[in-house]
Structure formats: C-alpha cells, structure tokens
Amino acid sequence: MIILAIETSCDETAVAIVKNGKKILSSIVYSQVQEHEIFGGVVPEIASRKHIESISQLSYEAIKFSAIDIKDIDAIAVTYSPGLVGSLLVGINFAKGLAYSLGKPLIAVNHITSHIAANYIDNESLKPPFICMVVSGGHTQIIEVLDYVKFKVIATTRDDAVGEVFDKVARILGLGYPGGVKIDTVSKLGDPLSYAFPHPKVNGLKNSTVVGESLYDFSFSGLKTTVVNFVNQKRMKNIEIDINNIAASFQKTAVDILCNRLIEVAKNLNYQHLAIAGGVSANSLLRDTLTQMCEKENFNLHIPQLKWCGDNAAMVGIQGYYEYICGNISSLTLNAEAKNFTGNI
Ligand code: KG4
Ligand code: ZN
C-alpha cells in the first residue's frame, strides 16, 4: 500500500511517499527557517503563504524521486492537528484535492502521534505497548502508546513546551532562531555545572487521568524566567556573561528534568520499552543522557534517527498507514484543529 503523506503544521513543508507503513520511498522537507529568521520566530501568515507556494512542487518531486506513478498512490495522509491553523489548512486542502481527484481515501493524522511513529522507521524491534516522551516546540508530553492508534497522555507541560524554552533562551543569549540546535552546539563549549538553575515542583495526583492534573506533569516557565532574569540582571550591571556556560547549564537542567521524569514514569508504570520523539529529541545531551540512564536501569531505549526528529512527512505516512488499517478514514469535511493533544482513550 502506497501513501502520499503531507505535513504543514508549522514552518516545514514536507511530502513523503511511504510503502506499507515501513519503507520510505521518498521524503522531502522544505524548511522555511530563512523566511522566519529575521523575525526571531515563526510568523504564521508567512508560513501559510510559503506552504502554498511550495506544496505542489514538493509533491511532484516526492512522486518523481520515489519512482512511482501518481496512479500507484492508494491513500493520502495529512497532518490535521495540532499546529498553526492557517498552515495546517494548506496541507489539508491540498490533500483533499488530491484524494478527491484520484478517488482515494483521505487519512487524518495527528502531529504528535506521527512524531511517535518516527520511531518505527528502521526499527523493527519497536511495537506497542511502549512509553514515549514527545518533546517539541509545542509539546512536552509522556504518552502511553497502547497500540498503534491508541494513546494515553500520562504527563504534559503545565506551561511552556521545552522546545519553546530552548528557543527563548537562545534568543536572550543572542544565538538567533531556531534556538534549540544552537544551544546544543554552544553547550559543547561550556561547563554544564557552572550555574545551578531550578528544577520545578509540580503538585498533582499520581494516578490522575485528567490532563493537567498529573503529578508527573512538567513545568518549564520557572526555568525559562530564571535564565532570562539572570542574563538581564548581569547585562544591566554590565557584568560580562559566558554564553556557553549559561547555555550548557540551562541545557543540562532541562535534560535532567526530562530524563528523570521519563525514567520515573517508566518504572512506576512498568514499561520496558521507552522512546523519545519530536524536534528536541535531536538534542545530543538528551540522547546521550537517556542512553546512559537506560543502560544503567536496563530499559530498552528507542530514538529516531536525527532526520526523523524534526517535522517531516515520512512519519505522517507511517502513522497514516496504521490509521488506515485500523479503519480510520477521514471525510472530505476534515478541518484543522489547533488544540493540544490529549490522547484518545
Ligand atoms: O517537532 P519540531 O520540529 O516542531 C514542532 O512540532 O514544534 O520541534 C521544533 C523544536 C524547536 O523548539 C527547536 O528549537 C527544537 O525542536 N530543537 C532542538 C534541537 N533541534 C530542534 N532543541 C534542542 N536541541 C536540538 N538539537
Ligand atoms: Zn513537530
């Protein structure tokens, strides 16, 4: 079964051709970073316009590179939520037009579950149930993957997503946009123990199934404010700051918070297989720290290849395949949804 998959939830326009939920025949990602860089972040209006300009050409190229004929496509999968509504709508409408004109089914895919599905690429050993921490620019969640299309959110952030905080700290340090990868790079030149930034304390219920009430929830706004205030105060007093040391200390704090929580949840819920996903899962310290912790604790850790951590359409094609075989076909009235993922059981 061949799926043409589309992803336009934020500032990457991506199209992929995926065979049988396993083989990536082609995957093209057009990043709009250059368009948004001068504004220091994603400008939604510009993002939508750039998606419109590139989506037809990218689809044409994805089909060409995969060496299939357009008639070989069996279904169209598209990200419908969460994300920037104007951006999502470009992908959704293009997907609808293609599905209608080819007479093929349309499959709606959630962005968070597609990030999780990036772990299935090149990894035959991973099958649900397992636990996955999704860390991106908009989400920080620990999710029970009960089967390929059933998800229970165990923990979520009460305020900022961790990727958002990486971007904000990078901006205050003058590292520019996108910030996560820049923090990752300069941290290698700094001492992660030079500053002690705070770990959050979150009140909640251990067994709560209500999103936002879990004892396992994250909170990153305190860490963000501490780093921002620290930098601003030094600057006001004309005290020189060491950007590399601040970046490294911040990164270590954020990574420790994430890793400790994932291991705690895995132990308490008795999961053996752990995974991470989303843009921040590209972070080198997160990957290394979690690898070491999982080795020590005897957990099986699954991490997507770097190219599948950020937004791409291959992961949409993989998750789309599982949605399709579970009968989750969408109608042509499909609309975009901005709301955060809350699971589906
Ligand atoms: O999944 P993603 O590409 O888009 C969303 O769904 O949000 O994640 C983007 C986020 C951004 O906040 C970006 O700064 C962060 O992932 N990111 C990183 C790294 N690479 C990307 N954060 C930390 N370290 C990295 N190497
Ligand atoms: Zn994403």
Side-chain angles (χ1 to χ4, degrees), residues 30-63:
Y30 165 67
S31 168
Q32 302 176 0
V33 162
Q34 281 186 335
E35 323 291 336
H36 301 283
E37 213 168 10
I38 50 165
F39 302 102
V42 178
V43 182
E45 173 75 15
I46 295 176
S48 315
R49 287 167 183 261
K50 288 290 149 191
H51 288 311
I52 285 269
E53 285 171 15
S54 54
I55 192 147
S56 302
Q57 183 64 22
L58 288 191
S59 303
Y60 173 79
E61 283 171 15
I63 293 170

PDB file of all heavy atoms in Angstrom, residues 30-63:
ATOM      1  N   TYR A  30      10.956  20.950   3.028  1.00  0.00           N
ATOM      2  CA  TYR A  30      11.403  22.310   2.682  1.00  0.00           C
ATOM      3  C   TYR A  30      11.268  23.152   3.941  1.00  0.00           C
ATOM      4  O   TYR A  30      10.170  23.393   4.430  1.00  0.00           O
ATOM      5  CB  TYR A  30      10.562  22.886   1.530  1.00  0.00           C
ATOM      6  CG  TYR A  30      10.722  24.377   1.385  1.00  0.00           C
ATOM      7  CD1 TYR A  30      11.941  24.930   0.989  1.00  0.00           C
ATOM      8  CD2 TYR A  30       9.671  25.242   1.685  1.00  0.00           C
ATOM      9  CE1 TYR A  30      12.102  26.305   0.900  1.00  0.00           C
ATOM     10  CE2 TYR A  30       9.829  26.614   1.592  1.00  0.00           C
ATOM     11  CZ  TYR A  30      11.042  27.135   1.206  1.00  0.00           C
ATOM     12  OH  TYR A  30      11.207  28.498   1.134  1.00  0.00           O
ATOM     13  N   SER A  31      12.408  23.575   4.487  1.00  0.00           N
ATOM     14  CA  SER A  31      12.382  24.364   5.710  1.00  0.00           C
ATOM     15  C   SER A  31      12.263  25.843   5.379  1.00  0.00           C
ATOM     16  O   SER A  31      12.951  26.352   4.501  1.00  0.00           O
ATOM     17  CB  SER A  31      13.652  24.108   6.511  1.00  0.00           C
ATOM     18  OG  SER A  31      13.728  25.076   7.528  1.00  0.00           O
ATOM     19  N   GLN A  32      11.398  26.521   6.133  1.00  0.00           N
ATOM     20  CA  GLN A  32      11.208  27.960   5.912  1.00  0.00           C
ATOM     21  C   GLN A  32      12.077  28.801   6.850  1.00  0.00           C
ATOM     22  O   GLN A  32      11.838  30.011   6.974  1.00  0.00           O
ATOM     23  CB  GLN A  32       9.742  28.331   6.155  1.00  0.00           C
ATOM     24  CG  GLN A  32       8.742  27.614   5.302  1.00  0.00           C
ATOM     25  CD  GLN A  32       7.320  27.993   5.687  1.00  0.00           C
ATOM     26  OE1 GLN A  32       7.086  28.789   6.591  1.00  0.00           O
ATOM     27  NE2 GLN A  32       6.350  27.407   5.010  1.00  0.00           N
ATOM     28  N   VAL A  33      13.038  28.182   7.493  1.00  0.00           N
ATOM     29  CA  VAL A  33      13.826  28.889   8.511  1.00  0.00           C
ATOM     30  C   VAL A  33      14.302  30.262   8.030  1.00  0.00           C
ATOM     31  O   VAL A  33      14.175  31.257   8.742  1.00  0.00           O
ATOM     32  CB  VAL A  33      15.038  28.023   8.956  1.00  0.00           C
ATOM     33  CG1 VAL A  33      16.090  28.858   9.657  1.00  0.00           C
ATOM     34  CG2 VAL A  33      14.569  26.949   9.911  1.00  0.00           C
ATOM     35  N   GLN A  34      14.787  30.313   6.812  1.00  0.00           N
ATOM     36  CA  GLN A  34      15.325  31.587   6.304  1.00  0.00           C
ATOM     37  C   GLN A  34      14.271  32.692   6.271  1.00  0.00           C
ATOM     38  O   GLN A  34      14.576  33.863   6.479  1.00  0.00           O
ATOM     39  CB  GLN A  34      15.892  31.384   4.909  1.00  0.00           C
ATOM     40  CG  GLN A  34      17.276  30.754   4.964  1.00  0.00           C
ATOM     41  CD  GLN A  34      17.907  30.675   3.592  1.00  0.00           C
ATOM     42  OE1 GLN A  34      17.194  30.640   2.590  1.00  0.00           O
ATOM     43  NE2 GLN A  34      19.221  30.618   3.547  1.00  0.00           N
ATOM     44  N   GLU A  35      13.021  32.311   5.993  1.00  0.00           N
ATOM     45  CA  GLU A  35      11.941  33.306   5.900  1.00  0.00           C
ATOM     46  C   GLU A  35      11.616  33.896   7.274  1.00  0.00           C
ATOM     47  O   GLU A  35      11.214  35.052   7.385  1.00  0.00           O
ATOM     48  CB  GLU A  35      10.638  32.687   5.355  1.00  0.00           C
ATOM     49  CG  GLU A  35      10.804  31.638   4.281  1.00  0.00           C
ATOM     50  CD  GLU A  35      11.301  32.237   2.991  1.00  0.00           C
ATOM     51  OE1 GLU A  35      11.092  33.451   2.790  1.00  0.00           O
ATOM     52  OE2 GLU A  35      11.920  31.502   2.201  1.00  0.00           O
ATOM     53  N   HIS A  36      11.771  33.061   8.330  1.00  0.00           N
ATOM     54  CA  HIS A  36      11.330  33.486   9.662  1.00  0.00           C
ATOM     55  C   HIS A  36      12.475  34.008  10.531  1.00  0.00           C
ATOM     56  O   HIS A  36      12.216  34.675  11.535  1.00  0.00           O
ATOM     57  CB  HIS A  36      10.641  32.320  10.380  1.00  0.00           C
ATOM     58  CG  HIS A  36       9.456  31.782   9.641  1.00  0.00           C
ATOM     59  ND1 HIS A  36       8.237  32.412   9.614  1.00  0.00           N
ATOM     60  CD2 HIS A  36       9.307  30.682   8.864  1.00  0.00           C
ATOM     61  CE1 HIS A  36       7.391  31.709   8.875  1.00  0.00           C
ATOM     62  NE2 HIS A  36       8.015  30.660   8.403  1.00  0.00           N
ATOM     63  N   GLU A  37      13.697  33.691  10.118  1.00  0.00           N
ATOM     64  CA  GLU A  37      14.884  34.012  10.923  1.00  0.00           C
ATOM     65  C   GLU A  37      14.934  35.487  11.333  1.00  0.00           C
ATOM     66  O   GLU A  37      15.153  35.809  12.495  1.00  0.00           O
ATOM     67  CB  GLU A  37      16.131  33.666  10.100  1.00  0.00           C
ATOM     68  CG  GLU A  37      17.274  33.194  10.924  1.00  0.00           C
ATOM     69  CD  GLU A  37      18.378  32.598  10.038  1.00  0.00           C
ATOM     70  OE1 GLU A  37      18.317  32.742   8.801  1.00  0.00           O
ATOM     71  OE2 GLU A  37      19.288  31.999  10.624  1.00  0.00           O
ATOM     72  N   ILE A  38      14.677  36.363  10.383  1.00  0.00           N
ATOM     73  CA  ILE A  38      14.810  37.799  10.705  1.00  0.00           C
ATOM     74  C   ILE A  38      13.774  38.273  11.718  1.00  0.00           C
ATOM     75  O   ILE A  38      13.956  39.292  12.359  1.00  0.00           O
ATOM     76  CB  ILE A  38      14.725  38.697   9.432  1.00  0.00           C
ATOM     77  CG1 ILE A  38      13.502  38.326   8.594  1.00  0.00           C
ATOM     78  CG2 ILE A  38      16.003  38.643   8.619  1.00  0.00           C
ATOM     79  CD1 ILE A  38      13.180  39.408   7.558  1.00  0.00           C
ATOM     80  N   PHE A  39      12.691  37.517  11.883  1.00  0.00           N
ATOM     81  CA  PHE A  39      11.667  37.894  12.868  1.00  0.00           C
ATOM     82  C   PHE A  39      11.930  37.217  14.219  1.00  0.00           C
ATOM     83  O   PHE A  39      11.201  37.451  15.178  1.00  0.00           O
ATOM     84  CB  PHE A  39      10.270  37.499  12.366  1.00  0.00           C
ATOM     85  CG  PHE A  39       9.928  38.136  11.048  1.00  0.00           C
ATOM     86  CD1 PHE A  39      10.002  37.411   9.866  1.00  0.00           C
ATOM     87  CD2 PHE A  39       9.557  39.476  10.980  1.00  0.00           C
ATOM     88  CE1 PHE A  39       9.701  37.995   8.646  1.00  0.00           C
ATOM     89  CE2 PHE A  39       9.253  40.069   9.767  1.00  0.00           C
ATOM     90  CZ  PHE A  39       9.326  39.331   8.595  1.00  0.00           C
ATOM     91  N   GLY A  40      12.897  36.340  14.281  1.00  0.00           N
ATOM     92  CA  GLY A  40      13.239  35.663  15.539  1.00  0.00           C
ATOM     93  C   GLY A  40      12.258  34.574  15.930  1.00  0.00           C
ATOM     94  O   GLY A  40      12.260  34.092  17.061  1.00  0.00           O
ATOM     95  N   GLY A  41      11.381  34.180  15.033  1.00  0.00           N
ATOM     96  CA  GLY A  41      10.407  33.120  15.323  1.00  0.00           C
ATOM     97  C   GLY A  41       9.481  32.953  14.127  1.00  0.00           C
ATOM     98  O   GLY A  41       9.563  33.721  13.161  1.00  0.00           O
ATOM     99  N   VAL A  42       8.589  31.970  14.216  1.00  0.00           N
ATOM    100  CA  VAL A  42       7.697  31.684  13.082  1.00  0.00           C
ATOM    101  C   VAL A  42       6.587  32.733  13.001  1.00  0.00           C
ATOM    102  O   VAL A  42       5.898  33.005  13.980  1.00  0.00           O
ATOM    103  CB  VAL A  42       7.066  30.276  13.233  1.00  0.00           C
ATOM    104  CG1 VAL A  42       6.109  29.994  12.085  1.00  0.00           C
ATOM    105  CG2 VAL A  42       8.149  29.222  13.288  1.00  0.00           C
ATOM    106  N   VAL A  43       6.413  33.312  11.813  1.00  0.00           N
ATOM    107  CA  VAL A  43       5.305  34.252  11.570  1.00  0.00           C
ATOM    108  C   VAL A  43       4.212  33.461  10.842  1.00  0.00           C
ATOM    109  O   VAL A  43       4.398  33.057   9.688  1.00  0.00           O
ATOM    110  CB  VAL A  43       5.763  35.461  10.709  1.00  0.00           C
ATOM    111  CG1 VAL A  43       4.619  36.443  10.501  1.00  0.00           C
ATOM    112  CG2 VAL A  43       6.962  36.136  11.340  1.00  0.00           C
ATOM    113  N   PRO A  44       3.083  33.184  11.518  1.00  0.00           N
ATOM    114  CA  PRO A  44       2.074  32.276  10.953  1.00  0.00           C
ATOM    115  C   PRO A  44       1.619  32.639   9.537  1.00  0.00           C
ATOM    116  O   PRO A  44       1.506  31.761   8.673  1.00  0.00           O
ATOM    117  CB  PRO A  44       0.919  32.373  11.954  1.00  0.00           C
ATOM    118  CG  PRO A  44       1.571  32.726  13.240  1.00  0.00           C
ATOM    119  CD  PRO A  44       2.718  33.626  12.881  1.00  0.00           C
ATOM    120  N   GLU A  45       1.374  33.906   9.291  1.00  0.00           N
ATOM    121  CA  GLU A  45       0.896  34.345   7.973  1.00  0.00           C
ATOM    122  C   GLU A  45       1.920  33.996   6.874  1.00  0.00           C
ATOM    123  O   GLU A  45       1.569  33.487   5.810  1.00  0.00           O
ATOM    124  CB  GLU A  45       0.657  35.866   8.036  1.00  0.00           C
ATOM    125  CG  GLU A  45       0.324  36.541   6.722  1.00  0.00           C
ATOM    126  CD  GLU A  45      -1.111  36.269   6.266  1.00  0.00           C
ATOM    127  OE1 GLU A  45      -1.918  35.802   7.085  1.00  0.00           O
ATOM    128  OE2 GLU A  45      -1.387  36.508   5.068  1.00  0.00           O
ATOM    129  N   ILE A  46       3.187  34.240   7.188  1.00  0.00           N
ATOM    130  CA  ILE A  46       4.237  33.931   6.201  1.00  0.00           C
ATOM    131  C   ILE A  46       4.321  32.422   6.001  1.00  0.00           C
ATOM    132  O   ILE A  46       4.470  31.927   4.876  1.00  0.00           O
ATOM    133  CB  ILE A  46       5.600  34.506   6.656  1.00  0.00           C
ATOM    134  CG1 ILE A  46       5.530  36.029   6.674  1.00  0.00           C
ATOM    135  CG2 ILE A  46       6.745  34.025   5.755  1.00  0.00           C
ATOM    136  CD1 ILE A  46       6.776  36.723   7.196  1.00  0.00           C
ATOM    137  N   ALA A  47       4.198  31.676   7.093  1.00  0.00           N
ATOM    138  CA  ALA A  47       4.291  30.207   7.000  1.00  0.00           C
ATOM    139  C   ALA A  47       3.227  29.667   6.043  1.00  0.00           C
ATOM    140  O   ALA A  47       3.530  28.880   5.141  1.00  0.00           O
ATOM    141  CB  ALA A  47       4.130  29.584   8.385  1.00  0.00           C
ATOM    142  N   SER A  48       1.985  30.129   6.194  1.00  0.00           N
ATOM    143  CA  SER A  48       0.903  29.637   5.320  1.00  0.00           C
ATOM    144  C   SER A  48       1.208  29.952   3.866  1.00  0.00           C
ATOM    145  O   SER A  48       1.034  29.122   2.970  1.00  0.00           O
ATOM    146  CB  SER A  48      -0.433  30.285   5.665  1.00  0.00           C
ATOM    147  OG  SER A  48      -0.636  30.293   7.028  1.00  0.00           O
ATOM    148  N   ARG A  49       1.650  31.187   3.636  1.00  0.00           N
ATOM    149  CA  ARG A  49       1.921  31.598   2.249  1.00  0.00           C
ATOM    150  C   ARG A  49       3.042  30.772   1.626  1.00  0.00           C
ATOM    151  O   ARG A  49       2.992  30.419   0.452  1.00  0.00           O
ATOM    152  CB  ARG A  49       2.292  33.088   2.202  1.00  0.00           C
ATOM    153  CG  ARG A  49       1.090  33.974   2.444  1.00  0.00           C
ATOM    154  CD  ARG A  49       1.511  35.407   2.718  1.00  0.00           C
ATOM    155  NE  ARG A  49       0.337  36.214   3.021  1.00  0.00           N
ATOM    156  CZ  ARG A  49      -0.261  36.986   2.128  1.00  0.00           C
ATOM    157  NH1 ARG A  49       0.203  37.078   0.895  1.00  0.00           N
ATOM    158  NH2 ARG A  49      -1.324  37.688   2.463  1.00  0.00           N
ATOM    159  N   LYS A  50       4.054  30.469   2.424  1.00  0.00           N
ATOM    160  CA  LYS A  50       5.175  29.672   1.885  1.00  0.00           C
ATOM    161  C   LYS A  50       4.738  28.231   1.615  1.00  0.00           C
ATOM    162  O   LYS A  50       5.193  27.605   0.665  1.00  0.00           O
ATOM    163  CB  LYS A  50       6.361  29.698   2.865  1.00  0.00           C
ATOM    164  CG  LYS A  50       7.074  31.028   2.907  1.00  0.00           C
ATOM    165  CD  LYS A  50       7.834  31.272   1.619  1.00  0.00           C
ATOM    166  CE  LYS A  50       7.903  32.745   1.297  1.00  0.00           C
ATOM    167  NZ  LYS A  50       8.394  33.033  -0.063  1.00  0.00           N
ATOM    168  N   HIS A  51       3.851  27.698   2.467  1.00  0.00           N
ATOM    169  CA  HIS A  51       3.335  26.353   2.212  1.00  0.00           C
ATOM    170  C   HIS A  51       2.612  26.324   0.860  1.00  0.00           C
ATOM    171  O   HIS A  51       2.792  25.408   0.060  1.00  0.00           O
ATOM    172  CB  HIS A  51       2.354  25.915   3.308  1.00  0.00           C
ATOM    173  CG  HIS A  51       2.996  25.601   4.628  1.00  0.00           C
ATOM    174  ND1 HIS A  51       4.095  24.781   4.746  1.00  0.00           N
ATOM    175  CD2 HIS A  51       2.682  25.983   5.893  1.00  0.00           C
ATOM    176  CE1 HIS A  51       4.421  24.686   6.029  1.00  0.00           C
ATOM    177  NE2 HIS A  51       3.595  25.408   6.739  1.00  0.00           N
ATOM    178  N   ILE A  52       1.776  27.339   0.642  1.00  0.00           N
ATOM    179  CA  ILE A  52       1.001  27.418  -0.612  1.00  0.00           C
ATOM    180  C   ILE A  52       1.951  27.408  -1.819  1.00  0.00           C
ATOM    181  O   ILE A  52       1.719  26.730  -2.813  1.00  0.00           O
ATOM    182  CB  ILE A  52       0.165  28.736  -0.657  1.00  0.00           C
ATOM    183  CG1 ILE A  52      -1.029  28.644   0.266  1.00  0.00           C
ATOM    184  CG2 ILE A  52      -0.243  29.093  -2.075  1.00  0.00           C
ATOM    185  CD1 ILE A  52      -2.291  28.124  -0.372  1.00  0.00           C
ATOM    186  N   GLU A  53       3.031  28.179  -1.690  1.00  0.00           N
ATOM    187  CA  GLU A  53       3.950  28.302  -2.824  1.00  0.00           C
ATOM    188  C   GLU A  53       4.680  26.999  -3.136  1.00  0.00           C
ATOM    189  O   GLU A  53       5.011  26.735  -4.277  1.00  0.00           O
ATOM    190  CB  GLU A  53       5.008  29.390  -2.534  1.00  0.00           C
ATOM    191  CG  GLU A  53       4.470  30.797  -2.642  1.00  0.00           C
ATOM    192  CD  GLU A  53       5.485  31.819  -2.145  1.00  0.00           C
ATOM    193  OE1 GLU A  53       6.680  31.489  -1.992  1.00  0.00           O
ATOM    194  OE2 GLU A  53       5.065  32.969  -1.903  1.00  0.00           O
ATOM    195  N   SER A  54       4.955  26.198  -2.093  1.00  0.00           N
ATOM    196  CA  SER A  54       5.850  25.056  -2.338  1.00  0.00           C
ATOM    197  C   SER A  54       5.179  23.691  -2.411  1.00  0.00           C
ATOM    198  O   SER A  54       5.778  22.738  -2.912  1.00  0.00           O
ATOM    199  CB  SER A  54       6.942  25.035  -1.275  1.00  0.00           C
ATOM    200  OG  SER A  54       6.367  25.043  -0.009  1.00  0.00           O
ATOM    201  N   ILE A  55       3.945  23.585  -1.937  1.00  0.00           N
ATOM    202  CA  ILE A  55       3.401  22.233  -1.764  1.00  0.00           C
ATOM    203  C   ILE A  55       3.211  21.446  -3.065  1.00  0.00           C
ATOM    204  O   ILE A  55       3.470  20.246  -3.120  1.00  0.00           O
ATOM    205  CB  ILE A  55       2.109  22.249  -0.904  1.00  0.00           C
ATOM    206  CG1 ILE A  55       1.766  20.826  -0.505  1.00  0.00           C
ATOM    207  CG2 ILE A  55       0.948  22.925  -1.609  1.00  0.00           C
ATOM    208  CD1 ILE A  55       1.126  20.675   0.795  1.00  0.00           C
ATOM    209  N   SER A  56       2.804  22.129  -4.133  1.00  0.00           N
ATOM    210  CA  SER A  56       2.586  21.401  -5.400  1.00  0.00           C
ATOM    211  C   SER A  56       3.909  20.847  -5.928  1.00  0.00           C
ATOM    212  O   SER A  56       4.012  19.676  -6.301  1.00  0.00           O
ATOM    213  CB  SER A  56       1.995  22.315  -6.466  1.00  0.00           C
ATOM    214  OG  SER A  56       0.809  22.855  -6.011  1.00  0.00           O
ATOM    215  N   GLN A  57       4.917  21.704  -5.923  1.00  0.00           N
ATOM    216  CA  GLN A  57       6.223  21.304  -6.451  1.00  0.00           C
ATOM    217  C   GLN A  57       6.824  20.167  -5.615  1.00  0.00           C
ATOM    218  O   GLN A  57       7.374  19.200  -6.157  1.00  0.00           O
ATOM    219  CB  GLN A  57       7.159  22.528  -6.463  1.00  0.00           C
ATOM    220  CG  GLN A  57       8.524  22.280  -7.045  1.00  0.00           C
ATOM    221  CD  GLN A  57       8.478  21.922  -8.539  1.00  0.00           C
ATOM    222  OE1 GLN A  57       7.510  22.240  -9.227  1.00  0.00           O
ATOM    223  NE2 GLN A  57       9.509  21.248  -9.021  1.00  0.00           N
ATOM    224  N   LEU A  58       6.705  20.281  -4.291  1.00  0.00           N
ATOM    225  CA  LEU A  58       7.262  19.229  -3.424  1.00  0.00           C
ATOM    226  C   LEU A  58       6.556  17.896  -3.667  1.00  0.00           C
ATOM    227  O   LEU A  58       7.201  16.841  -3.677  1.00  0.00           O
ATOM    228  CB  LEU A  58       7.113  19.604  -1.945  1.00  0.00           C
ATOM    229  CG  LEU A  58       8.005  20.709  -1.393  1.00  0.00           C
ATOM    230  CD1 LEU A  58       7.907  20.759   0.122  1.00  0.00           C
ATOM    231  CD2 LEU A  58       9.450  20.500  -1.788  1.00  0.00           C
ATOM    232  N   SER A  59       5.248  17.950  -3.880  1.00  0.00           N
ATOM    233  CA  SER A  59       4.501  16.707  -4.127  1.00  0.00           C
ATOM    234  C   SER A  59       4.953  16.090  -5.442  1.00  0.00           C
ATOM    235  O   SER A  59       5.171  14.865  -5.533  1.00  0.00           O
ATOM    236  CB  SER A  59       2.997  16.997  -4.184  1.00  0.00           C
ATOM    237  OG  SER A  59       2.604  17.607  -2.996  1.00  0.00           O
ATOM    238  N   TYR A  60       5.120  16.931  -6.420  1.00  0.00           N
ATOM    239  CA  TYR A  60       5.590  16.462  -7.729  1.00  0.00           C
ATOM    240  C   TYR A  60       6.949  15.781  -7.565  1.00  0.00           C
ATOM    241  O   TYR A  60       7.188  14.683  -8.071  1.00  0.00           O
ATOM    242  CB  TYR A  60       5.661  17.672  -8.677  1.00  0.00           C
ATOM    243  CG  TYR A  60       6.282  17.367 -10.006  1.00  0.00           C
ATOM    244  CD1 TYR A  60       5.545  16.732 -11.016  1.00  0.00           C
ATOM    245  CD2 TYR A  60       7.619  17.693 -10.263  1.00  0.00           C
ATOM    246  CE1 TYR A  60       6.123  16.431 -12.236  1.00  0.00           C
ATOM    247  CE2 TYR A  60       8.198  17.391 -11.470  1.00  0.00           C
ATOM    248  CZ  TYR A  60       7.456  16.764 -12.456  1.00  0.00           C
ATOM    249  OH  TYR A  60       8.032  16.463 -13.653  1.00  0.00           O
ATOM    250  N   GLU A  61       7.845  16.434  -6.830  1.00  0.00           N
ATOM    251  CA  GLU A  61       9.201  15.883  -6.658  1.00  0.00           C
ATOM    252  C   GLU A  61       9.196  14.596  -5.830  1.00  0.00           C
ATOM    253  O   GLU A  61       9.932  13.654  -6.136  1.00  0.00           O
ATOM    254  CB  GLU A  61      10.119  16.918  -6.015  1.00  0.00           C
ATOM    255  CG  GLU A  61      10.558  17.970  -7.014  1.00  0.00           C
ATOM    256  CD  GLU A  61      11.291  19.135  -6.384  1.00  0.00           C
ATOM    257  OE1 GLU A  61      11.714  19.027  -5.220  1.00  0.00           O
ATOM    258  OE2 GLU A  61      11.421  20.162  -7.077  1.00  0.00           O
ATOM    259  N   ALA A  62       8.359  14.561  -4.796  1.00  0.00           N
ATOM    260  CA  ALA A  62       8.302  13.346  -3.957  1.00  0.00           C
ATOM    261  C   ALA A  62       7.855  12.154  -4.791  1.00  0.00           C
ATOM    262  O   ALA A  62       8.390  11.046  -4.648  1.00  0.00           O
ATOM    263  CB  ALA A  62       7.354  13.562  -2.783  1.00  0.00           C
ATOM    264  N   ILE A  63       6.901  12.378  -5.681  1.00  0.00           N
ATOM    265  CA  ILE A  63       6.437  11.281  -6.545  1.00  0.00           C
ATOM    266  C   ILE A  63       7.551  10.884  -7.516  1.00  0.00           C
ATOM    267  O   ILE A  63       7.847   9.700  -7.699  1.00  0.00           O
ATOM    268  CB  ILE A  63       5.148  11.704  -7.293  1.00  0.00           C
ATOM    269  CG1 ILE A  63       4.002  11.873  -6.292  1.00  0.00           C
ATOM    270  CG2 ILE A  63       4.784  10.703  -8.384  1.00  0.00           C
ATOM    271  CD1 ILE A  63       2.751  12.519  -6.852  1.00  0.00           C
TER     272      ILE A  63
END
